[in-house]
Amino acid sequence: MAAVQDGQVESDAEKETKPDASNDVAGNSSGGARSMSPNAASSASGAAKAAAPTGPGEQQTLLAVLQFLKRSKLLESVDILRREAGLSDELDESQTNDGAAAGSASLLRRVSVGGAAATNIAATTTSKGAEDQPDVSIVLSAYSQQGDPALYQVYYSGLKNFIESVLDCHRAELSQLFYPLFVHMYLELVYNNHEHEAKVFFEKFSGDQECYYRDDLRVLSGLTKKEHMKGNETLLDFRTSKFVLRISRDSYQLLKRHLQERQNNQIWLIIQEHLYIDIFDGMPRSKSQIDSMSGSLAGEARREANKAKVYYGLLKEPEIEVPLDDEDDEAENEEGKPKKKKPKKDNLGSKNKKQDPNAPQQNRIPLPELKDSDKLDKIMSMKEATKKIRLGPDTLPSICFYTFLNAYQGLTSVDVTDDSSLIAGGFADSTVRVWSVTPKKLRKVKSAADLNLIDKEADDVLERIMDEKTASESKILYGHSGPVYGISFSPDRNYLLSSSEDGTVRLWSLQTFTCLVGYKGHNYPVWDTQFSPYGYYFVSGGHDRIARLWATDHYQPLRMFAGHLADITCTHFHPNSNYVATGSADRTVRLWDVLNGNCVRIFSGHKGPIHSLAFSPNGKYVASGATDGRVLLWDIGHGLMIGELKGHTDTVYALKFSRDGEILASGSMDGTVRLWDALKAFDVETDDFTAATGHIHLPDNSQELLLGTYMTKSTPVIHLHFTRRNLLLAAGGYNSQ
Amino acid sequence: MAEREERRFAEVSRDSVKLMAESAGVEVGDEVAALLAEDVCYRLREAAQNSSQFMRHAKRRKLTVEDFNRALRWSNVEAVCGYGAQDALPFRPAKEGELFFVEDRDVNLVNLALATNIPNGCAETMVRVHVSYLDGKGNLEPQGTVPSAVQSLSEDLLKYYQQITRAILGEDPHLMKVALLDLQTNSKIAALLPYFVYVISGVKSVSHDLEQLNRLLHMVKSLVQNPYLYLGSYVRSLVSSVMYCILEPLAASINPLNDHWTLRDYAALLLSHIFWTHGDLVSGLYHQILLSLQKVLSDPVRPLCSHYGAVVGLHALGWKAVERVLYPHLPAYWANLQAVLDDYSVSNAQVKADGHKVYGAILVAVERLLKMKALSLSKPAEGGVGGQQGTAGGVLGFRESSPGLSPPPEPLSEAGLGIASHLQAGGAGCPWEDWTPVPLPAMYCELYSFFGDSLAVRFSTGPELEGCLPALPCQPADARKETVANAAAGLDNSRKMPQLTANLNISPRPDGSPHTEPPPPSLAKVAGSNPDPPRLQRRSSSSRPGQRSAGPSRDVFPKARFPPPQAGPPSFSFLIGGRQMGRRCQGRRFQTSFGPQPPLASLPPRAYAHKLPVIGRVSKPVRRWTCSHYSLHLPL
């Protein structure tokens, strides 16, 4: 399961005959190796930087990559990479020897572990060696610094006593040190084969850690042997990333002085090696302030990580002449042709206001041209919008529940089209099922032979191409070979995306109800996928910790967003299509710039894997829901958490803002839909000080913001959708157990 | 591994590893086995941790074998086959030896293949939509309707249901009785409960037909008394139906000839019965009932019959409810009522008659309030018992009419106290939170200012109240006789209001502070408190010409005298004195124009007299036990 993505390894897709699951590196067969796209390189080097921020480290990574390529006989790629990186041959050679040694070492390890794929050992070993090399040489070596194992407890409790004795204002800040120090000291003990001491150490101090690290501690406590450290994902995260702490300068000085007085080198070394202390000037933060931000796998985000400018505004709507709808609504619907449109005076529907100052340039990301049918759809949507109910605390939406009955095979994902005419479900038995929820049945296009007979000039050609015989209420799409975890309709309702455990994302046509493309690249379970609000692009993310941006007409990804330290569990497009948000099992939400692949925001504060995301319709905010049952609200512009909604008792699987953004609906495994007053939640003044320092102070007003709790009949809510008229649709599979 | 005190994980033992190795034909030493065991444990844990993410993404709570297999497959480990069943496989120990195995029966393929009863495939997956919440306000389907997941009723049950409803709502009174009795005792009708509740919720559509309403209420009573039925949340629905009968200005009330008063009385009793016996099934029921009663009472637009319903409802719920809701509202309400009663115009006659009904009901309610309060004050230790008597009185009628069901008095009294104390603890936003009990003297003075001498309970007010309640020693037996005699005579127009005379022994409270929270009833305590301080008995003339404008400090009963201390156990006896005026005396006045004090002997105390004109009397069986409920004669 090890899917380490530090060094982006280029492998040639064509030479890669069979993506063998046993080959650990196959996860990186991005396919874009030969024509090495600049963005892939940028993300690659970005990731490399994360692993080894220093110059030599980076070089070492490159060398490791080179070694791997050589071993895999990908000489062409070796040449390219060497040219790009400007490395000399000798350097490479000298490195090779080390690599060989590392390779044989890892072979031993592999044998001791008892991997099943004996035939693949050679390949695995080399890849393992190359992959692990930067880690082994840089990070793990730090663990070999021997201290007296018996003294670890003394060191730790010494620090504990010190921190407990300092002034209150510093104590909360310095307490942040406990968890990372505890983990690293424990790992050092394990790494150096002091099994017993490690156990005692764990038992003595694990109780002191914050309760939200419980899950990680459970993993950690299971680990008692050096051999087990290889291939354990949680540990790899700890080794490869520095735990980030934010501490005020005063507290830091205090700590430093203490450690220097005590000659406590062991702890000082760990802090130097494995922690990144983000020092700020000013008042130390309070315990609640710290608690609200911590909880992620690698500590808080560094302050500079959230400083990049984000164009969160909406794109200007294309000018569409909207027909006057009051007089003859009926007639309008029947005509339904764009040419019949009357010239229109400006009404609320047309967006002729001036450009939003926070919006990206219209062509920052090339977007597909609007087709006639899209324009028609826009008009319909605007018409519907005029009839929409203005929601608020006093006018709550009606809720319709779509229950999936007899879903014995297990409903895993649901999506509803924007116009609420189709609903699709992904199931654990690898099928995708599409239902029409309007009286209009689903029909396939006629076969090619029959299509030839059709008069192509006829007015109703679009009607004629449909095969009436195939009309039915639902269609089943077969093609995946694993549970379908993510599903998404294209905005124009012509396509459907599905992502599955089998590592592929599939694009289905809703005209022919066949599979058009299978996008391969993840090679590990793909947890989620979503179409861009403008169509054409889509994003996917999965177990390999990389989110990929695709365009429907490319079989290779356009961008790879690397940086998460654990599975990407959910993906979401920003309403302006310029950004992608990803939620992860490392308990952070990241926002990625589609243009250059950079990570522009890291939001930490969740205490469990994130399973749902939603952008507010104005693009300014994003909401995220996690397994801990909490929903957090984030201000994208300032990069700050601005709200916490507590109430659910189980994983929040669905989040959705109403069409105007006044209400946030959340659906959870606990079988409830909850409505929250989003306007009130966002009504927080962010002063300059907060924006500059990032020290948030959250009001605890969940109960005031909660507008309603609505129970289902033992049905977990896994999807929510607001119709264009602000009717709330919820969906879930009835569970009789 | 053995020395590990606390085992954090399930572990595979060394022996198991050896056993496995043996079965695979490999010999392993102890050391190797130990290492292997530990490694296996770790791998298993890792796989389990990895498998949990498959469960999370499948949006399930249950980890399946399938999830575990996926984790294994992605770790390049062979998956475990043959355990994919949804149901748990039984894991059994063999009889001899510590051997466990999964029960896996052989399947006879031939039989299976040749079987004629081919099993049906499972139903097609489908999507169904229903509106769950309209405008974010509750369920679309009203409370108490037949549940949408219709359970299939057996043919017999369906027949039973039809017969019963037809009998109850039909013409034949005898058939109705039989049906009600069966409904009350049948133990197999739980499945029909929602249907009956639904039928009962039809009260709203027959508000013009007193007879039907009555029958539906009887149906409620039968359901409530059926010991085999668990009403659950249907209590709420039943209560709302009953409340409808109590409070709504029924269409039948338009005709003054319709005796809807009796219906309301009956419904109020029913309400109190439901509440005392089933109130614990629905939290906050008491508050909700009180709130809705209060709302009606404080709404001057409502017709008087609604107000009447609210008053009798409060009365039926016990004196604490009266004290909490009715008493604080009285000053405001009085003005309206007074206006009605003082209007002598002909057009107002009907309204005024209604007003008298309300007046009477209020009087009965506050009298009991005063009495019970005095009781609880005077006998802190016995307060519980007194309250119990009061509440027991509330269901007395039911006991009489249904000897089969006799709710034990203890829980009833507990319930009463429990709720009262809960009220004082106060739920958030409870309108009674800031309610403070009014001391008895103040309460009495205020009530006296309203009712004057109509109040049959007499206390002295002012500082010398301590421990002295006016009392008229009357022998119950005598009183009853006199009642009969006087009723027969049907005379004495000078007394207009029912009158309560009390013979009451009270232990003096030195501090004089009212004791509003009687400790929980305890028989031992009661017994222990018996030989307490000397009882004082006060006696005063039962009434005197009073002025309605009596101030709080007015000394009403100056002529109190102390009877000799009694040595016996404390005893109470309350007797109602009053005059039955007959139902048709509608123009009768209640005000203060009292005639000369009749001599004691000529006072005709009647057990049921206080109900008199206030609550309409008809000779129906229902009424009999209604009457008995209103008896204030408390046997001790």
Side-chain angles (χ1 to χ4, degrees), chain A residues 24 51 111 128 154 240 265 288 301 344 358 388 437 486 512 538 575 675 687 722 727:
Chain A
D24 279 345
V111 172
K128 223 13 192 184
V154 180
T240 52
N265 282 329
S288 64
K344 184 69 192 90
N358 291 309
K388 125 181 104 186
V437 293
T512 60
F538 65 93
L675 301 179
D687 49 46
F722 275 97
L727 172 70

Short mmCIF file of all heavy atoms in Angstrom, two decimals, chain A residues 24 51 111 128 154 240 265 288 301 344 358 388 437 486 512 538 575 675 687 722 727:
data_model
loop_
_atom_site.label_atom_id
_atom_site.label_comp_id
_atom_site.label_asym_id
_atom_site.label_seq_id
_atom_site.Cartn_x
_atom_site.Cartn_y
_atom_site.Cartn_z
N ASP A 24 5.45 -1.28 -6.74
CA ASP A 24 5.08 -0.12 -5.95
C ASP A 24 5.15 1.17 -6.73
O ASP A 24 4.48 2.14 -6.43
CB ASP A 24 6.01 -0.01 -4.74
CG ASP A 24 5.55 -0.96 -3.65
OD1 ASP A 24 4.40 -1.44 -3.74
OD2 ASP A 24 6.31 -1.19 -2.73
N ALA A 51 10.27 17.44 0.59
CA ALA A 51 10.99 16.37 1.25
C ALA A 51 12.36 16.83 1.72
O ALA A 51 12.82 16.48 2.79
CB ALA A 51 11.15 15.19 0.30
N VAL A 111 12.66 -9.24 2.27
CA VAL A 111 12.55 -10.66 2.53
C VAL A 111 12.02 -10.89 3.94
O VAL A 111 11.14 -11.70 4.18
CB VAL A 111 13.91 -11.34 2.34
CG1 VAL A 111 13.84 -12.78 2.81
CG2 VAL A 111 14.32 -11.26 0.89
N LYS A 128 12.16 -0.01 -4.66
CA LYS A 128 12.09 0.31 -3.25
C LYS A 128 13.33 1.08 -2.83
O LYS A 128 13.26 2.09 -2.16
CB LYS A 128 12.05 -1.01 -2.51
CG LYS A 128 11.15 -1.31 -1.34
CD LYS A 128 10.08 -0.44 -1.03
CE LYS A 128 9.51 -0.80 0.36
NZ LYS A 128 8.40 0.02 0.60
N VAL A 154 13.34 10.38 30.95
CA VAL A 154 13.79 11.49 31.78
C VAL A 154 13.69 12.79 31.00
O VAL A 154 13.18 13.79 31.49
CB VAL A 154 15.23 11.24 32.25
CG1 VAL A 154 15.70 12.40 33.10
CG2 VAL A 154 15.31 9.92 32.99
N THR A 240 8.76 12.11 6.42
CA THR A 240 9.01 12.93 5.24
C THR A 240 8.55 14.36 5.40
O THR A 240 8.89 15.21 4.60
CB THR A 240 8.28 12.34 4.04
OG1 THR A 240 6.92 12.15 4.40
CG2 THR A 240 8.89 11.02 3.64
N ASN A 265 20.19 17.82 24.76
CA ASN A 265 20.48 17.79 23.34
C ASN A 265 19.52 16.91 22.56
O ASN A 265 19.20 17.21 21.43
CB ASN A 265 21.90 17.28 23.11
CG ASN A 265 22.89 18.38 23.40
OD1 ASN A 265 22.57 19.55 23.21
ND2 ASN A 265 24.05 18.02 23.90
N SER A 288 -7.60 27.51 23.35
CA SER A 288 -8.69 27.25 22.41
C SER A 288 -8.29 27.66 21.00
O SER A 288 -8.66 27.01 20.02
CB SER A 288 -9.94 27.99 22.84
OG SER A 288 -9.72 29.37 22.78
N ALA A 301 -0.67 24.69 9.19
CA ALA A 301 -0.05 25.16 7.97
C ALA A 301 0.92 26.27 8.31
O ALA A 301 0.70 27.03 9.25
CB ALA A 301 -1.12 25.67 7.03
N LYS A 344 -34.01 41.85 -25.14
CA LYS A 344 -34.35 41.87 -23.72
C LYS A 344 -33.83 43.13 -23.07
O LYS A 344 -32.68 43.52 -23.24
CB LYS A 344 -33.69 40.67 -23.08
CG LYS A 344 -34.00 40.45 -21.63
CD LYS A 344 -35.44 40.03 -21.43
CE LYS A 344 -35.76 40.11 -19.96
NZ LYS A 344 -36.27 41.41 -19.61
N ASN A 358 -12.18 40.62 -7.25
CA ASN A 358 -11.45 39.44 -6.81
C ASN A 358 -11.51 38.30 -7.80
O ASN A 358 -11.00 37.21 -7.52
CB ASN A 358 -12.02 38.96 -5.47
CG ASN A 358 -11.72 39.93 -4.36
OD1 ASN A 358 -10.57 40.32 -4.18
ND2 ASN A 358 -12.74 40.36 -3.65
N LYS A 388 -37.20 31.26 -7.64
CA LYS A 388 -36.61 30.60 -6.47
C LYS A 388 -37.05 31.29 -5.19
O LYS A 388 -37.30 32.49 -5.14
CB LYS A 388 -35.11 30.57 -6.67
CG LYS A 388 -34.26 31.16 -5.61
CD LYS A 388 -32.83 31.05 -6.02
CE LYS A 388 -32.30 32.41 -6.48
NZ LYS A 388 -30.98 32.36 -7.02
N VAL A 437 -35.62 11.37 -12.86
CA VAL A 437 -36.60 11.66 -11.82
C VAL A 437 -37.73 12.52 -12.36
O VAL A 437 -38.58 12.97 -11.61
CB VAL A 437 -35.96 12.32 -10.59
CG1 VAL A 437 -35.04 11.35 -9.91
CG2 VAL A 437 -35.24 13.58 -10.97
N GLY A 486 -16.88 7.62 -6.46
CA GLY A 486 -17.17 9.01 -6.81
C GLY A 486 -17.96 9.07 -8.08
O GLY A 486 -17.79 8.22 -8.98
N THR A 512 -25.60 7.65 -25.30
CA THR A 512 -25.56 6.25 -25.73
C THR A 512 -25.51 5.30 -24.54
O THR A 512 -25.66 4.11 -24.71
CB THR A 512 -24.32 6.00 -26.59
OG1 THR A 512 -23.16 6.30 -25.81
CG2 THR A 512 -24.31 6.89 -27.81
N PHE A 538 -12.01 18.02 -15.32
CA PHE A 538 -12.47 17.39 -14.09
C PHE A 538 -11.26 17.05 -13.22
O PHE A 538 -10.13 17.01 -13.69
CB PHE A 538 -13.34 16.15 -14.36
CG PHE A 538 -12.63 15.01 -15.03
CD1 PHE A 538 -12.05 13.98 -14.28
CD2 PHE A 538 -12.58 14.93 -16.40
CE1 PHE A 538 -11.42 12.91 -14.90
CE2 PHE A 538 -11.94 13.87 -17.04
CZ PHE A 538 -11.36 12.86 -16.28
N PRO A 575 -16.23 27.51 -7.84
CA PRO A 575 -17.24 27.93 -8.83
C PRO A 575 -16.64 28.63 -10.05
O PRO A 575 -17.24 28.61 -11.13
CB PRO A 575 -18.14 28.88 -8.04
CG PRO A 575 -17.93 28.55 -6.62
CD PRO A 575 -16.58 27.93 -6.49
N LEU A 675 -29.61 22.13 8.95
CA LEU A 675 -29.54 23.39 8.22
C LEU A 675 -28.88 24.43 9.12
O LEU A 675 -29.21 24.54 10.29
CB LEU A 675 -30.95 23.84 7.82
CG LEU A 675 -31.72 22.86 6.96
CD1 LEU A 675 -33.11 23.42 6.66
CD2 LEU A 675 -30.99 22.59 5.66
N ASP A 687 -10.43 41.43 11.05
CA ASP A 687 -9.62 42.65 11.11
C ASP A 687 -8.23 42.37 10.56
O ASP A 687 -7.84 41.22 10.33
CB ASP A 687 -9.55 43.16 12.55
CG ASP A 687 -9.17 42.06 13.52
OD1 ASP A 687 -8.22 41.33 13.21
OD2 ASP A 687 -9.82 41.93 14.56
N PHE A 722 -29.44 21.41 -3.86
CA PHE A 722 -30.51 22.41 -3.91
C PHE A 722 -30.96 22.56 -5.35
O PHE A 722 -30.14 22.74 -6.25
CB PHE A 722 -30.01 23.76 -3.38
CG PHE A 722 -30.09 23.89 -1.90
CD1 PHE A 722 -29.00 23.64 -1.10
CD2 PHE A 722 -31.28 24.25 -1.29
CE1 PHE A 722 -29.07 23.75 0.27
CE2 PHE A 722 -31.37 24.37 0.08
CZ PHE A 722 -30.27 24.13 0.87
N LEU A 727 -35.27 24.08 -3.50
CA LEU A 727 -35.83 22.93 -2.79
C LEU A 727 -34.65 22.01 -2.47
O LEU A 727 -33.80 21.80 -3.32
CB LEU A 727 -36.84 22.21 -3.68
CG LEU A 727 -37.39 20.87 -3.17
CD1 LEU A 727 -38.30 21.11 -1.99
CD2 LEU A 727 -38.14 20.18 -4.28
#
